[in-house]
Amino acid sequence: YNDALLSFKKAMKLNPKDPRAYNGLGLVYQSLNKEELAIKSYKKAYDLEPDYPEALNNLAVSLQNLGKYYESISIYKKLIDKHPDKSQIYFNLGTLLQLYGRHDESVIAFRKALEKDPNNNLVYPFFAHALMQQCNWENLEAIVSKVIENTNNELEKEQVPSVSPFGLQCMPANKLIKKRTAEFTSERAQRFVSSNQELIKNRTYMKPNEKLKIGFVSPDFRRHSVAIAFNGVLKSRDKSKFEYHAYSISTYGKDNITNDFIKEFDGFTDITHLSHEDAANKIINDGINILIDLAGHTRGCRYEVFALRPAPIQAHWLGFSSTTGAKFIDYLITDKVQNPLEEENYITEKIVHLPDTFMATSIPNVSEKKFDRKSQGLPENAFVITNFNSHYKFYPSMYSIWMRILKLIPNSVFWFLEGSISSRKNLINEAEKRGVNKEKLIFAKSLPHDEHLSRLQLADLSLDNQYHGGGVTSTDTLWAGVPLITLSGDSPPSRNGATILTALEIPELITYTLREYEEKALYYATNPSDLEKLKQKILSKKHTAPLFNNGTLAKNIEKSFIEMWNLYS
């Protein structure tokens, strides 16, 4: 990128009126996370040539990266008016609409993108996710199959896959494909900063004086499930032996929880608008000994910073829970249920198995406000089954089981989150296709978290997802005393429930086949005395088992920090 920067600047000197030079310069700045400079360059290119779709499209991308979504959307729509046949513009608009939660509109944009260019492989994974958000399953299997087929072909050609590692998490792709996709994606981040490799080789790091300095990089120091879970460990840390420093990427907003983190951490730096190199230098100058990635391959990840090796030890924990595929991530902090040792061939990092669990949880506040079934639209004497996960985590094969259970259990209902208009409509349609009356589906209005926890106690039984198990959703359910039946699958996200229930010391609710899952749900639904015993066991265990013991988890993870440092030093 440094060479490209010099070349584009030389081109500008040779011909100051060539818009391509300014557009190229903008692309370099964009790759270096210098978005303000990129925007300035794109605007100059556009001024020189008002009908220059690439410059305008790139301008919209940079505005999007800065969180200026409305401006970006208006540019994409302007581009579509001028260039209605360009697939990439529809795709970019669709990804932004998806980011903004406007999934129905994103589906239209993705369909248009594929209509203009069916070979635009980038579209398929985003299209699949948009259909999942809608619970629009009519052509989902075909789109998912296309994503996996494209990924296989791209990997065979040694190309960076068009699907993200996170995008594969909710799909039935095999473990090797998921590992290799993560590897290729991480290698791309490393290439972005390859001009600094000599600097990395010659880097010297500060040694700790009295305390180990632990850095945490995350785009989610806000009202987000990772932040809520991590907060308990942060507050339970050993301040006499450790300093905790945050490096925040706040593209997706700040809120009152961000302010709480700023007060709680020993140091808090917003690196959102720093270049990759400047962010890395800040971490180096802070003398961080161990740098923890809390995001993995999720939205807002900045692996270019980690690729610059700002800390002698780098590890992933919590946010992704699967292999990062990154040569610059030394350790995966997990547990023996989430990532068992027999799967180490699919994990590029050294595995750190914490005792009990790696899963951070918060002990939530529960509102004193009481709810009855009538106020929530639930039949008074019904058997209430619940799943309060986001609707995109639902998969047709598991939904069929849920609907069969509803038909087999008299006077039963299924209680979901409200979701969007389209996802509600499609869930009702899919239920009716399976012979279930729409009256048996109840959709809950959004409530403040503490009130939601109070109303959860109205449920009798909760059923987990197939490919992407609940995290905070599941721990909330169990804290309310509602039994959760989970299916332990062949990927880390599908084992979320198994990890949680093992740490709660209630393994009898873990199942390993779809048949066992269905039979267990039917057993407890038709044996109320055993279900009641289970509820009482959960309510007792939540105060004694490791799952909600942040103090123990903090000690376990800090012990692993000390062992990592001792091995390094």
Side-chain angles (χ1 to χ4, degrees):
Y1 285 103
N2 290 338
D3 291 343
L5 203 64
L6 292 172
S7 294
F8 282 123
K9 285 183 176 180
K10 187 173 182 180
M12 287 159 54
K13 284 182 180 179
L14 291 168
N15 184 359
K17 294 188 178 180
D18 186 348
R20 295 171 303 164
Y22 291 95
N23 183 58
L25 188 66
L27 285 168
V28 175
Y29 284 138
Q30 193 178 76
S31 298
L32 296 172
N33 200 46
K34 296 180 178 180
E35 299 291 2
E36 296 288 359
L37 290 174
I39 288 168
K40 188 177 177 181
S41 297
Y42 295 139
K43 285 182 175 177
K44 180 66 175 175
Y46 181 67
D47 288 342
L48 288 168
E49 189 177 321
D51 191 19
Y52 188 5
E54 287 80 8
L56 203 54
N57 182 72
N58 294 334
L59 172 61
V61 171
S62 276
L63 289 167
Q64 177 179 331
N65 290 341
L66 287 177
K68 298 180 179 181
Y69 301 138
Y70 284 119
E71 289 179 59
S72 191
I73 287 171
S74 68
I75 290 174
Y76 286 135
K77 289 184 174 178
K78 183 178 178 180
L79 271 168
I80 287 169
D81 289 340
K82 284 189 172 185
H83 305 277
D85 294 322
K86 287 189 176 287
S87 172
Q88 194 64 24
I89 299 170
Y90 290 102
F91 167 68
N92 287 350
L93 174 61
T95 59
L96 179 52
L97 291 167
Q98 190 174 82
L99 183 65
Y100 219 57
R102 291 160 62 172
H103 301 293
D104 295 351
E105 294 170 83
S106 76
V107 165
I108 295 168
F110 293 138
R111 286 190 197 280
K112 276 286 187 183
L114 290 174
E115 180 187 305
K116 303 302 177 186
D117 181 7
N119 295 317
N120 189 345
N121 289 359
L122 286 169
V123 180
Y124 289 98
F126 287 88
F127 188 27
H129 185 68
L131 293 175
M132 289 176 180
Q133 288 282 1
Q134 287 186 321
C135 298
N136 183 345
W137 300 332
E138 199 167 316
N139 295 310
L140 179 61
E141 293 287 356
I143 300 297
V144 168
S145 295
K146 183 67 174 173
V147 172
I148 295 171
E149 177 191 336
N150 288 344
T151 306
N152 271 320
N153 292 337
E154 289 157 349
L155 290 171
E156 282 177 14
K157 295 173 184 176
E158 299 288 311
Q159 296 173 349
V160 176
S162 48
V163 64
S164 72
F166 181 77
L168 281 180
Q169 294 292 350
C170 288
M171 297 182 189
N174 68 49
K175 288 177 273 198
L176 182 59
I177 288 176
K178 289 178 179 178
K179 177 195 174 187
R180 292 192 66 208
T181 299
E183 286 176 324
F184 272 79
T185 305
S186 296
E187 284 169 11
R188 180 173 57 188
Q190 196 154 19
R191 284 199 302 276
F192 279 171
V193 294
S194 60
S195 58
N196 292 289
Q197 291 307 302
E198 286 305 314
L199 175 68
I200 295 166
K201 287 178 186 175
N202 300 321
R203 180 156 286 155
T204 55
Y205 301 102
M206 293 185 204
K207 292 185 178 179
N209 292 324
E210 295 178 2
K211 301 178 184 180
L212 273 178
K213 290 187 176 182
I214 315 297
F216 296 88
V217 182
S218 176
D220 300 318
F221 291 126
R222 55 192 170 95
R223 189 165 293 283
H224 185 276
S225 57
V226 170
I228 291 167
F230 170 68
N231 197 33
V233 172
L234 176 65
K235 290 182 176 176
S236 301
R237 70 192 186 279
D238 185 344
K239 294 182 182 181
S240 68
K241 294 180 181 177
F242 298 91
E243 285 185 19
Y244 279 22
H245 293 255
Y247 299 94
S248 173
I249 302 154
S250 60
T251 309
Y252 305 106
K254 301 175 183 178
D255 53 31
N256 62 313
I257 288 181
T258 310
N259 295 332
D260 292 342
F261 276 122
I262 291 170
K263 294 172 187 173
E264 186 64 40
F265 272 103
D266 298 298
F268 191 100
T269 304
D270 191 327
I271 62 169
T272 309
H273 304 305
L274 294 182
S275 69
H276 304 314
E277 192 171 38
D278 288 345
N281 284 331
K282 170 61 179 168
I283 295 166
I284 292 164
N285 293 334
D286 285 344
I288 297 301
N289 306 118
I290 302 173
L291 190 64
I292 306 296
D293 159 46
L294 291 174
H297 293 286
T298 60
R299 194 173 74 190
C301 168
R302 288 274 299 276
Y303 267 179
E304 295 83 1
V305 176
F306 281 86
L308 286 167
R309 273 284 176 187
I313 301 167
Q314 301 187 154
H316 171 70
W317 173 51
L318 203 60
F320 189 59
S321 78
S322 304
T323 186
T324 65
K327 293 176 182 175
F328 45 81
I329 300 291
D330 307 303
Y331 296 99
L332 174 65
I333 300 171
T334 183
D335 62 44
K336 63 184 179 182
V337 177
Q338 194 84 5
N339 289 280
L341 201 58
E342 52 266 31
E343 294 196 0
E344 64 181 342
N345 289 341
Y346 302 103
I347 296 170
T348 60
E349 305 88 348
K350 297 183 187 75
I351 299 173
V352 176
H353 276 160
L354 297 182
D356 305 319
T357 184
F358 86 105
M359 187 81 72
T361 57
S362 62
I363 296 178
N365 293 321
V366 181
S367 172
E368 293 182 3
K369 184 176 180 180
K370 299 300 179 187
F371 294 87
D372 57 31
R373 288 189 165 185
K374 185 177 180 181
S375 70
Q376 300 304 302
L378 296 167
E380 192 61 42
N381 297 314
F383 186 85
V384 178
I385 306 167
T386 188
N387 183 313
F388 276 117
N389 283 278
S390 297
H391 294 176
Y392 79 88
K393 291 186 177 181
F394 301 167
Y395 212 74
S397 48
M398 184 62 89
Y399 194 75
S400 294
I401 290 175
W402 296 347
M403 295 304 103
R404 274 204 302 275
I405 291 168
L406 280 184
K407 287 195 288 185
L408 289 168
I409 301 172
N411 202 28
S412 60
V413 296
F414 215 115
W415 198 18
F416 298 106
L417 277 180
E418 187 174 35
S420 67
I421 293 171
S422 57
S423 66
R424 288 198 304 278
K425 178 183 174 184
N426 286 326
L427 286 174
I428 289 168
N429 288 341
E430 292 292 336
E432 290 177 336
K433 282 182 191 176
R434 291 162 173 80
V436 173
N437 190 296
K438 67 179 182 181
E439 303 302 322
K440 290 177 83 72
L441 306 188
I442 313 293
F443 295 94
K445 298 280 185 185
S446 180
L447 284 180
H449 188 241
D450 62 334
E451 293 184 14
H452 168 65
L453 283 164
S454 180
R455 76 171 170 189
L456 260 176
Q457 298 168 55
L458 299 173
D460 294 301
L461 181 67
S462 185
L463 299 179
D464 205 358
N465 313 307
Q466 185 168 359
Y467 293 112
H468 199 155
V472 172
T473 306
S474 296
T475 57
D476 282 349
T477 300
L478 292 164
W479 187 260
V482 180
L484 169 78
I485 295 174
T486 193
L487 175 68
S488 182
D490 68 350
S491 68
S494 69
R495 294 192 283 262
N496 282 349
T499 296
I500 288 166
L501 287 166
T502 300
L504 192 59
E505 298 174 345
I506 306 191
E508 59 265 40
L509 287 174
I510 303 169
T511 65
Y512 298 91
T513 66
L514 286 170
R515 182 174 179 177
E516 184 190 4
Y517 175 98
E518 185 172 351
E519 287 174 349
K520 189 153 286 193
L522 288 169
Y523 175 81
Y524 281 114
T526 52
N527 287 272
S529 60
D530 285 350
L531 183 63
E532 182 58 33
K533 288 176 188 174
L534 201 53
K535 286 184 179 182
Q536 294 307 314
K537 185 178 179 182
I538 290 168
L539 290 171
S540 170
K541 285 286 185 182
K542 75 179 188 179
H543 296 293
T544 59
L547 180 62
F548 293 102
N549 192 329
N550 290 315
T552 297
L553 178 57
K555 285 177 184 174
N556 288 338
I557 198 166
E558 287 176 347
K559 184 179 177 183
S560 78
F561 293 157
I562 292 169
E563 290 176 3
M564 288 177 199
W565 184 256
N566 288 340
L567 284 170
Y568 170 77
S569 60

